[in-house]
Each structure stands twice: as C-alpha cells, then as structure tokens.
Amino acid sequence: MKAIFKTMSVIVAVLVVCSLAVVTANAAGKKIVVGFSQIGAESAWRVANTESIISEAKKYPNIELKFSDAQQKQENQIKAIRSFIAQGVDVIAFSPVVETGWTPVLKEAKRAGIPVILSDRAVDTDDDSLWVSFMGSDFVEEGRRAAQWLVDNYERLKNPAKSMQVVNIVELQGTVGSAPAIDRKVGFEEVIVKYPNFKIIKSQSGDFTRSKGKEVMEAFMKAEGKKIDVLFGHNDDMAIGAIQAIEEFGLKPGKDIIIVSIDAVRGAFEAMLDGKLNCTVECSPLLGPQLFQAVNDLMAGKTLPRRIVTEEGVFPQEVAAETLPTRKY
Ligand code: AHR
C-alpha cells in the first residue's frame, strides 16, 4: 500500500512539474522549443516524413524546432535526446529506430519534466508514463492488409504456368528490432496462416533500404530462383531494389513474381505503372501537422490522446494511373 502511494505521489509530482513548465513557457510568451530526433534517411518514406515535420514547424511562429538526424543509429538518438534535455526544450518528439533500450533516457526526460511524444514508431517499455502520446500507423494492420490483398488476388494475377497448390513467398523485412518490421510480420502471418498453400520460404532484413533490398533479393533468387511466386516487402524501397534483382535474374517482376509492399510512395506507383509491382499498402509519413497540433495542445494544458492512428488505404496496380497525380510523397 505504502509503495503504491509512493508511486502515485511520484506520478502526480511529475505531472505538476510538466504542467508548470507548460504554463511558464506560455505565460512568458516565449517560443515553444521542440527537439525532434529523426532516424535518418533510409527510405523515400523517411525523407517525406522529415520534410513534413520541418515544413509544418515553419508554419508556427510560436514554435522553434531543433531537428537531429541519427543516421540510423540508436546511440545517436539517445545522444540527441540527452542534448535536448540538457538544453531544456519544452517537448521532445522522436521516431525510435528500434523498439527497446529507451527506458533510461526516457526516465531522464521525465525527471527533467519534459513530455515525450512518439512519432511514427512505438517503444517497448514497462513504464507507459514515460511518453504522453504515440502518433502513427497501425503496422500490424498494414501487414494484414498486404496479406489479405495477396490471398484475394494471387490466383487472378499469377503466371498461368504456376500452380495454386503451393505459393512460395519471400519476405524482405525492415530494420531488425524496429516496430514496423516486427508488427508487419505479425499482421502478415496472422492472415497467411489461414491459407496453408501460402508459405513464407525465406525471410530476411533488407533494413528498409533499396540497396539492401536488392542485395537480399539477389541472394533469395540465387537460392530459390523460379520457385519464388511472391515477394512481400516491408517497404516500397526494398521492393524497388528487389525488382532490379528479379530483372537481372531474367524474370519479370509483377508477372513471374507477384509483389506487394508497404508505404505507397511515388516510386511504388511508378513501378505499378510499369507493371512491375502489383500492390502497395499505404503508410503515411505526413505526420508533421498532427505533431505540431499535439505540441500546441499539450502546451495549452490539454491532455493528448494516448494513441493517434493514421488513416490509410490500399492501392493495387489497377488504380495507380488515376492515383499517382494525387500523391503527396
Ligand atoms: O516507420 C515507418 C517505416 O520506416 C516505413 O515503412 C519505412 O519506409 C521507413 O523507413
């Protein structure tokens, strides 16, 4: 009982410190300083995400953004967060490269009374009081959507010479330990397991990059060759790299090998128009508007929703031509 009371008192004290910081910043009429730690620039998605954050911040004269690029390294993100704490920013936001390993630095932010917003990806920690809101996609649902599109459309799209008895899938996973790689795999398998003729025969990380996607697909082609019926790419960039590997092997991507990937970046639409990619599942990087709305709400003393889920769609090849001109990234 005593321990529960002690924990409750600590939580209340932290909340009071946070609200005082908010009130003080606003009352003095000074800018709200936001420290944002970005993962890097591994994909077209990430570049669009950075652009969305930087351009949206510029629309708010009351906000000063301190932006830091971690070049794919967790240690750099931790350093950046520590530096934001030392500078006494008002809010910290970040997109965690991997799910685990954040608890100590987030505790430091909490002790300093700085609220933390998770943007795009979640963290895995026992203490949910270490962050105030998580905004971004439902990655498990994206994996489910990719798999559902595949089982619904494979027979119609497959090379007529191929059988429906066994459908061999190769999977290019995202960054090892990252929330989208973990969750998309879970969602995809959750659906695929209901269709025993669909089997994942190879699965490896391509680190969300085009070059690694190509490299891993080359190895898949070498090992399995014509046995491969389907490629599931955890993002479009890896699928686009893999398309090159398939062509170099002498097969036709989108025909000999059906390809579904995630993000819905312009490059994916262009590949669909060329008939080389069959479907892309949307994952929106345009999180800037939500982020700075949330920062302003927080600083105005409002309680943020714990989870803000981005609404997204599925774009098969058939709608690529009409949809491409409307794409913003
Ligand atoms: O966290 C979102 C993922 O990260 C995108 O799907 C991928 O392209 C990016 O690198």
Side-chain angles (χ1 to χ4, degrees), residues 196-223:
N197 52 330
F198 284 80
K199 282 200 171 60
I200 299 177
I201 55 165
K202 287 263 175 210
S203 181
Q204 201 179 310
S205 172
D207 210 11
F208 281 133
T209 68
R210 226 178 243 220
S211 56
K212 205 68 201 302
K214 177 170 188 265
E215 192 185 308
V216 177
M217 192 67 194
E218 277 165 358
F220 287 169
M221 297 303 302
K222 235 184 194 169

PDB file of all heavy atoms in Angstrom, residues 196-223:
ATOM      1  N   PRO A 196      -3.154 -22.469 -45.955  1.00  0.00           N
ATOM      2  CA  PRO A 196      -1.962 -23.332 -45.852  1.00  0.00           C
ATOM      3  C   PRO A 196      -1.151 -23.475 -47.139  1.00  0.00           C
ATOM      4  O   PRO A 196       0.021 -23.863 -47.078  1.00  0.00           O
ATOM      5  CB  PRO A 196      -2.543 -24.686 -45.432  1.00  0.00           C
ATOM      6  CG  PRO A 196      -3.963 -24.428 -45.049  1.00  0.00           C
ATOM      7  CD  PRO A 196      -4.397 -23.142 -45.638  1.00  0.00           C
ATOM      8  N   ASN A 197      -1.739 -23.154 -48.312  1.00  0.00           N
ATOM      9  CA  ASN A 197      -0.933 -23.246 -49.544  1.00  0.00           C
ATOM     10  C   ASN A 197       0.020 -22.043 -49.697  1.00  0.00           C
ATOM     11  O   ASN A 197       0.967 -22.091 -50.469  1.00  0.00           O
ATOM     12  CB  ASN A 197      -1.811 -23.392 -50.792  1.00  0.00           C
ATOM     13  CG  ASN A 197      -2.890 -22.328 -50.903  1.00  0.00           C
ATOM     14  OD1 ASN A 197      -3.378 -21.822 -49.876  1.00  0.00           O
ATOM     15  ND2 ASN A 197      -3.257 -21.968 -52.113  1.00  0.00           N
ATOM     16  N   PHE A 198      -0.226 -20.972 -48.939  1.00  0.00           N
ATOM     17  CA  PHE A 198       0.681 -19.809 -48.975  1.00  0.00           C
ATOM     18  C   PHE A 198       1.747 -19.998 -47.908  1.00  0.00           C
ATOM     19  O   PHE A 198       1.436 -20.091 -46.725  1.00  0.00           O
ATOM     20  CB  PHE A 198      -0.086 -18.512 -48.716  1.00  0.00           C
ATOM     21  CG  PHE A 198      -0.904 -18.040 -49.890  1.00  0.00           C
ATOM     22  CD1 PHE A 198      -2.145 -18.611 -50.160  1.00  0.00           C
ATOM     23  CD2 PHE A 198      -0.447 -17.035 -50.731  1.00  0.00           C
ATOM     24  CE1 PHE A 198      -2.910 -18.192 -51.243  1.00  0.00           C
ATOM     25  CE2 PHE A 198      -1.201 -16.616 -51.819  1.00  0.00           C
ATOM     26  CZ  PHE A 198      -2.437 -17.192 -52.074  1.00  0.00           C
ATOM     27  N   LYS A 199       3.015 -20.044 -48.343  1.00  0.00           N
ATOM     28  CA  LYS A 199       4.100 -20.337 -47.384  1.00  0.00           C
ATOM     29  C   LYS A 199       5.252 -19.344 -47.528  1.00  0.00           C
ATOM     30  O   LYS A 199       5.688 -19.075 -48.648  1.00  0.00           O
ATOM     31  CB  LYS A 199       4.664 -21.729 -47.657  1.00  0.00           C
ATOM     32  CG  LYS A 199       3.795 -22.822 -47.116  1.00  0.00           C
ATOM     33  CD  LYS A 199       4.583 -24.134 -46.957  1.00  0.00           C
ATOM     34  CE  LYS A 199       3.744 -25.143 -46.214  1.00  0.00           C
ATOM     35  NZ  LYS A 199       2.466 -25.469 -46.892  1.00  0.00           N
ATOM     36  N   ILE A 200       5.738 -18.856 -46.383  1.00  0.00           N
ATOM     37  CA  ILE A 200       6.934 -17.997 -46.440  1.00  0.00           C
ATOM     38  C   ILE A 200       8.156 -18.918 -46.440  1.00  0.00           C
ATOM     39  O   ILE A 200       8.392 -19.640 -45.468  1.00  0.00           O
ATOM     40  CB  ILE A 200       6.983 -17.022 -45.242  1.00  0.00           C
ATOM     41  CG1 ILE A 200       5.750 -16.104 -45.257  1.00  0.00           C
ATOM     42  CG2 ILE A 200       8.270 -16.187 -45.271  1.00  0.00           C
ATOM     43  CD1 ILE A 200       5.635 -15.147 -44.101  1.00  0.00           C
ATOM     44  N   ILE A 201       8.904 -18.906 -47.545  1.00  0.00           N
ATOM     45  CA  ILE A 201      10.046 -19.830 -47.621  1.00  0.00           C
ATOM     46  C   ILE A 201      11.371 -19.154 -47.263  1.00  0.00           C
ATOM     47  O   ILE A 201      12.341 -19.839 -46.944  1.00  0.00           O
ATOM     48  CB  ILE A 201      10.154 -20.519 -49.011  1.00  0.00           C
ATOM     49  CG1 ILE A 201      10.205 -19.475 -50.142  1.00  0.00           C
ATOM     50  CG2 ILE A 201       9.008 -21.510 -49.228  1.00  0.00           C
ATOM     51  CD1 ILE A 201      10.679 -20.056 -51.463  1.00  0.00           C
ATOM     52  N   LYS A 202      11.414 -17.839 -47.347  1.00  0.00           N
ATOM     53  CA  LYS A 202      12.641 -17.102 -46.969  1.00  0.00           C
ATOM     54  C   LYS A 202      12.218 -15.771 -46.384  1.00  0.00           C
ATOM     55  O   LYS A 202      11.270 -15.143 -46.886  1.00  0.00           O
ATOM     56  CB  LYS A 202      13.510 -16.796 -48.210  1.00  0.00           C
ATOM     57  CG  LYS A 202      14.223 -17.974 -48.782  1.00  0.00           C
ATOM     58  CD  LYS A 202      15.654 -18.042 -48.262  1.00  0.00           C
ATOM     59  CE  LYS A 202      16.299 -19.320 -48.759  1.00  0.00           C
ATOM     60  NZ  LYS A 202      17.282 -19.871 -47.903  1.00  0.00           N
ATOM     61  N   SER A 203      12.922 -15.344 -45.347  1.00  0.00           N
ATOM     62  CA  SER A 203      12.600 -14.067 -44.729  1.00  0.00           C
ATOM     63  C   SER A 203      13.877 -13.465 -44.149  1.00  0.00           C
ATOM     64  O   SER A 203      14.547 -14.114 -43.346  1.00  0.00           O
ATOM     65  CB  SER A 203      11.568 -14.303 -43.615  1.00  0.00           C
ATOM     66  OG  SER A 203      11.229 -13.078 -43.019  1.00  0.00           O
ATOM     67  N   GLN A 204      14.199 -12.266 -44.563  1.00  0.00           N
ATOM     68  CA  GLN A 204      15.446 -11.640 -44.093  1.00  0.00           C
ATOM     69  C   GLN A 204      15.321 -10.120 -44.119  1.00  0.00           C
ATOM     70  O   GLN A 204      14.529  -9.589 -44.909  1.00  0.00           O
ATOM     71  CB  GLN A 204      16.588 -12.066 -45.017  1.00  0.00           C
ATOM     72  CG  GLN A 204      17.958 -11.927 -44.380  1.00  0.00           C
ATOM     73  CD  GLN A 204      19.048 -12.386 -45.333  1.00  0.00           C
ATOM     74  OE1 GLN A 204      18.962 -13.486 -45.895  1.00  0.00           O
ATOM     75  NE2 GLN A 204      20.046 -11.553 -45.525  1.00  0.00           N
ATOM     76  N   SER A 205      16.103  -9.464 -43.292  1.00  0.00           N
ATOM     77  CA  SER A 205      16.027  -7.999 -43.251  1.00  0.00           C
ATOM     78  C   SER A 205      16.767  -7.360 -44.428  1.00  0.00           C
ATOM     79  O   SER A 205      17.875  -7.756 -44.767  1.00  0.00           O
ATOM     80  CB  SER A 205      16.636  -7.475 -41.953  1.00  0.00           C
ATOM     81  OG  SER A 205      16.723  -6.062 -42.023  1.00  0.00           O
ATOM     82  N   GLY A 206      16.117  -6.365 -45.006  1.00  0.00           N
ATOM     83  CA  GLY A 206      16.763  -5.531 -46.031  1.00  0.00           C
ATOM     84  C   GLY A 206      16.884  -4.105 -45.501  1.00  0.00           C
ATOM     85  O   GLY A 206      17.122  -3.167 -46.265  1.00  0.00           O
ATOM     86  N   ASP A 207      16.699  -3.964 -44.188  1.00  0.00           N
ATOM     87  CA  ASP A 207      16.957  -2.702 -43.474  1.00  0.00           C
ATOM     88  C   ASP A 207      16.201  -1.493 -44.035  1.00  0.00           C
ATOM     89  O   ASP A 207      16.640  -0.359 -43.848  1.00  0.00           O
ATOM     90  CB  ASP A 207      18.470  -2.428 -43.462  1.00  0.00           C
ATOM     91  CG  ASP A 207      18.886  -1.657 -42.216  1.00  0.00           C
ATOM     92  OD1 ASP A 207      18.078  -1.524 -41.296  1.00  0.00           O
ATOM     93  OD2 ASP A 207      20.020  -1.151 -42.200  1.00  0.00           O
ATOM     94  N   PHE A 208      15.106  -1.727 -44.734  1.00  0.00           N
ATOM     95  CA  PHE A 208      14.255  -0.654 -45.280  1.00  0.00           C
ATOM     96  C   PHE A 208      14.942   0.140 -46.397  1.00  0.00           C
ATOM     97  O   PHE A 208      14.465   1.218 -46.754  1.00  0.00           O
ATOM     98  CB  PHE A 208      13.787   0.315 -44.184  1.00  0.00           C
ATOM     99  CG  PHE A 208      12.630  -0.188 -43.353  1.00  0.00           C
ATOM    100  CD1 PHE A 208      12.664  -0.106 -41.962  1.00  0.00           C
ATOM    101  CD2 PHE A 208      11.500  -0.726 -43.940  1.00  0.00           C
ATOM    102  CE1 PHE A 208      11.593  -0.550 -41.183  1.00  0.00           C
ATOM    103  CE2 PHE A 208      10.419  -1.169 -43.179  1.00  0.00           C
ATOM    104  CZ  PHE A 208      10.470  -1.079 -41.797  1.00  0.00           C
ATOM    105  N   THR A 209      16.100  -0.347 -46.903  1.00  0.00           N
ATOM    106  CA  THR A 209      16.775   0.430 -47.959  1.00  0.00           C
ATOM    107  C   THR A 209      16.707  -0.291 -49.308  1.00  0.00           C
ATOM    108  O   THR A 209      16.612  -1.509 -49.377  1.00  0.00           O
ATOM    109  CB  THR A 209      18.268   0.704 -47.641  1.00  0.00           C
ATOM    110  OG1 THR A 209      18.980  -0.542 -47.697  1.00  0.00           O
ATOM    111  CG2 THR A 209      18.455   1.337 -46.271  1.00  0.00           C
ATOM    112  N   ARG A 210      16.775   0.505 -50.364  1.00  0.00           N
ATOM    113  CA  ARG A 210      16.727  -0.020 -51.724  1.00  0.00           C
ATOM    114  C   ARG A 210      17.916  -0.940 -51.997  1.00  0.00           C
ATOM    115  O   ARG A 210      17.768  -2.033 -52.531  1.00  0.00           O
ATOM    116  CB  ARG A 210      16.811   1.171 -52.680  1.00  0.00           C
ATOM    117  CG  ARG A 210      15.814   1.114 -53.784  1.00  0.00           C
ATOM    118  CD  ARG A 210      15.970   2.353 -54.619  1.00  0.00           C
ATOM    119  NE  ARG A 210      14.753   3.121 -54.535  1.00  0.00           N
ATOM    120  CZ  ARG A 210      14.210   3.748 -55.560  1.00  0.00           C
ATOM    121  NH1 ARG A 210      14.798   3.733 -56.731  1.00  0.00           N
ATOM    122  NH2 ARG A 210      13.092   4.416 -55.408  1.00  0.00           N
ATOM    123  N   SER A 211      19.128  -0.493 -51.585  1.00  0.00           N
ATOM    124  CA  SER A 211      20.335  -1.262 -51.903  1.00  0.00           C
ATOM    125  C   SER A 211      20.329  -2.605 -51.169  1.00  0.00           C
ATOM    126  O   SER A 211      20.647  -3.641 -51.756  1.00  0.00           O
ATOM    127  CB  SER A 211      21.586  -0.463 -51.557  1.00  0.00           C
ATOM    128  OG  SER A 211      21.537  -0.088 -50.202  1.00  0.00           O
ATOM    129  N   LYS A 212      19.914  -2.596 -49.896  1.00  0.00           N
ATOM    130  CA  LYS A 212      19.894  -3.844 -49.131  1.00  0.00           C
ATOM    131  C   LYS A 212      18.771  -4.755 -49.654  1.00  0.00           C
ATOM    132  O   LYS A 212      18.913  -5.981 -49.687  1.00  0.00           O
ATOM    133  CB  LYS A 212      19.703  -3.512 -47.651  1.00  0.00           C
ATOM    134  CG  LYS A 212      20.225  -4.528 -46.661  1.00  0.00           C
ATOM    135  CD  LYS A 212      21.744  -4.646 -46.643  1.00  0.00           C
ATOM    136  CE  LYS A 212      22.253  -5.961 -46.061  1.00  0.00           C
ATOM    137  NZ  LYS A 212      21.889  -6.312 -44.734  1.00  0.00           N
ATOM    138  N   GLY A 213      17.660  -4.146 -50.065  1.00  0.00           N
ATOM    139  CA  GLY A 213      16.547  -4.925 -50.631  1.00  0.00           C
ATOM    140  C   GLY A 213      17.020  -5.676 -51.867  1.00  0.00           C
ATOM    141  O   GLY A 213      16.735  -6.860 -52.057  1.00  0.00           O
ATOM    142  N   LYS A 214      17.800  -4.992 -52.691  1.00  0.00           N
ATOM    143  CA  LYS A 214      18.309  -5.623 -53.924  1.00  0.00           C
ATOM    144  C   LYS A 214      19.265  -6.761 -53.565  1.00  0.00           C
ATOM    145  O   LYS A 214      19.153  -7.875 -54.079  1.00  0.00           O
ATOM    146  CB  LYS A 214      19.011  -4.576 -54.783  1.00  0.00           C
ATOM    147  CG  LYS A 214      19.641  -5.147 -56.039  1.00  0.00           C
ATOM    148  CD  LYS A 214      20.112  -4.065 -56.991  1.00  0.00           C
ATOM    149  CE  LYS A 214      20.541  -4.671 -58.310  1.00  0.00           C
ATOM    150  NZ  LYS A 214      21.955  -4.922 -58.406  1.00  0.00           N
ATOM    151  N   GLU A 215      20.168  -6.447 -52.644  1.00  0.00           N
ATOM    152  CA  GLU A 215      21.198  -7.428 -52.242  1.00  0.00           C
ATOM    153  C   GLU A 215      20.558  -8.714 -51.686  1.00  0.00           C
ATOM    154  O   GLU A 215      20.925  -9.824 -52.078  1.00  0.00           O
ATOM    155  CB  GLU A 215      22.050  -6.754 -51.172  1.00  0.00           C
ATOM    156  CG  GLU A 215      23.319  -7.450 -50.802  1.00  0.00           C
ATOM    157  CD  GLU A 215      23.985  -6.699 -49.637  1.00  0.00           C
ATOM    158  OE1 GLU A 215      24.183  -5.467 -49.731  1.00  0.00           O
ATOM    159  OE2 GLU A 215      24.262  -7.359 -48.613  1.00  0.00           O
ATOM    160  N   VAL A 216      19.585  -8.552 -50.797  1.00  0.00           N
ATOM    161  CA  VAL A 216      18.963  -9.737 -50.183  1.00  0.00           C
ATOM    162  C   VAL A 216      18.131 -10.499 -51.228  1.00  0.00           C
ATOM    163  O   VAL A 216      18.134 -11.734 -51.262  1.00  0.00           O
ATOM    164  CB  VAL A 216      18.105  -9.345 -48.948  1.00  0.00           C
ATOM    165  CG1 VAL A 216      17.401 -10.557 -48.362  1.00  0.00           C
ATOM    166  CG2 VAL A 216      18.964  -8.684 -47.883  1.00  0.00           C
ATOM    167  N   MET A 217      17.466  -9.758 -52.104  1.00  0.00           N
ATOM    168  CA  MET A 217      16.658 -10.432 -53.134  1.00  0.00           C
ATOM    169  C   MET A 217      17.565 -11.229 -54.090  1.00  0.00           C
ATOM    170  O   MET A 217      17.203 -12.313 -54.538  1.00  0.00           O
ATOM    171  CB  MET A 217      15.816  -9.407 -53.910  1.00  0.00           C
ATOM    172  CG  MET A 217      14.754 -10.037 -54.798  1.00  0.00           C
ATOM    173  SD  MET A 217      13.468 -10.843 -53.798  1.00  0.00           S
ATOM    174  CE  MET A 217      12.636 -11.822 -55.041  1.00  0.00           C
ATOM    175  N   GLU A 218      18.738 -10.686 -54.362  1.00  0.00           N
ATOM    176  CA  GLU A 218      19.692 -11.425 -55.225  1.00  0.00           C
ATOM    177  C   GLU A 218      20.013 -12.774 -54.579  1.00  0.00           C
ATOM    178  O   GLU A 218      20.037 -13.808 -55.258  1.00  0.00           O
ATOM    179  CB  GLU A 218      20.991 -10.624 -55.391  1.00  0.00           C
ATOM    180  CG  GLU A 218      20.906  -9.563 -56.466  1.00  0.00           C
ATOM    181  CD  GLU A 218      22.043  -8.540 -56.402  1.00  0.00           C
ATOM    182  OE1 GLU A 218      22.904  -8.633 -55.487  1.00  0.00           O
ATOM    183  OE2 GLU A 218      22.045  -7.643 -57.258  1.00  0.00           O
ATOM    184  N   ALA A 219      20.231 -12.748 -53.262  1.00  0.00           N
ATOM    185  CA  ALA A 219      20.548 -13.995 -52.545  1.00  0.00           C
ATOM    186  C   ALA A 219      19.334 -14.942 -52.584  1.00  0.00           C
ATOM    187  O   ALA A 219      19.493 -16.157 -52.784  1.00  0.00           O
ATOM    188  CB  ALA A 219      20.931 -13.680 -51.105  1.00  0.00           C
ATOM    189  N   PHE A 220      18.121 -14.395 -52.415  1.00  0.00           N
ATOM    190  CA  PHE A 220      16.905 -15.225 -52.497  1.00  0.00           C
ATOM    191  C   PHE A 220      16.797 -15.874 -53.876  1.00  0.00           C
ATOM    192  O   PHE A 220      16.475 -17.049 -54.016  1.00  0.00           O
ATOM    193  CB  PHE A 220      15.643 -14.376 -52.269  1.00  0.00           C
ATOM    194  CG  PHE A 220      15.402 -13.931 -50.833  1.00  0.00           C
ATOM    195  CD1 PHE A 220      14.431 -12.969 -50.548  1.00  0.00           C
ATOM    196  CD2 PHE A 220      16.106 -14.482 -49.767  1.00  0.00           C
ATOM    197  CE1 PHE A 220      14.177 -12.558 -49.249  1.00  0.00           C
ATOM    198  CE2 PHE A 220      15.867 -14.073 -48.457  1.00  0.00           C
ATOM    199  CZ  PHE A 220      14.900 -13.107 -48.200  1.00  0.00           C
ATOM    200  N   MET A 221      17.068 -15.085 -54.925  1.00  0.00           N
ATOM    201  CA  MET A 221      16.941 -15.588 -56.301  1.00  0.00           C
ATOM    202  C   MET A 221      17.963 -16.704 -56.541  1.00  0.00           C
ATOM    203  O   MET A 221      17.648 -17.709 -57.177  1.00  0.00           O
ATOM    204  CB  MET A 221      17.169 -14.466 -57.337  1.00  0.00           C
ATOM    205  CG  MET A 221      16.173 -13.330 -57.294  1.00  0.00           C
ATOM    206  SD  MET A 221      14.436 -13.786 -57.483  1.00  0.00           S
ATOM    207  CE  MET A 221      14.375 -14.613 -59.040  1.00  0.00           C
ATOM    208  N   LYS A 222      19.159 -16.494 -56.026  1.00  0.00           N
ATOM    209  CA  LYS A 222      20.216 -17.487 -56.183  1.00  0.00           C
ATOM    210  C   LYS A 222      19.809 -18.796 -55.517  1.00  0.00           C
ATOM    211  O   LYS A 222      19.986 -19.890 -56.071  1.00  0.00           O
ATOM    212  CB  LYS A 222      21.496 -16.977 -55.509  1.00  0.00           C
ATOM    213  CG  LYS A 222      22.668 -16.967 -56.425  1.00  0.00           C
ATOM    214  CD  LYS A 222      23.890 -16.549 -55.653  1.00  0.00           C
ATOM    215  CE  LYS A 222      24.993 -16.211 -56.628  1.00  0.00           C
ATOM    216  NZ  LYS A 222      26.090 -15.568 -55.964  1.00  0.00           N
ATOM    217  N   ALA A 223      19.226 -18.689 -54.304  1.00  0.00           N
ATOM    218  CA  ALA A 223      18.890 -19.884 -53.528  1.00  0.00           C
ATOM    219  C   ALA A 223      17.618 -20.567 -54.036  1.00  0.00           C
ATOM    220  O   ALA A 223      17.548 -21.795 -54.089  1.00  0.00           O
ATOM    221  CB  ALA A 223      18.722 -19.501 -52.054  1.00  0.00           C
TER     222      ALA A 223
END
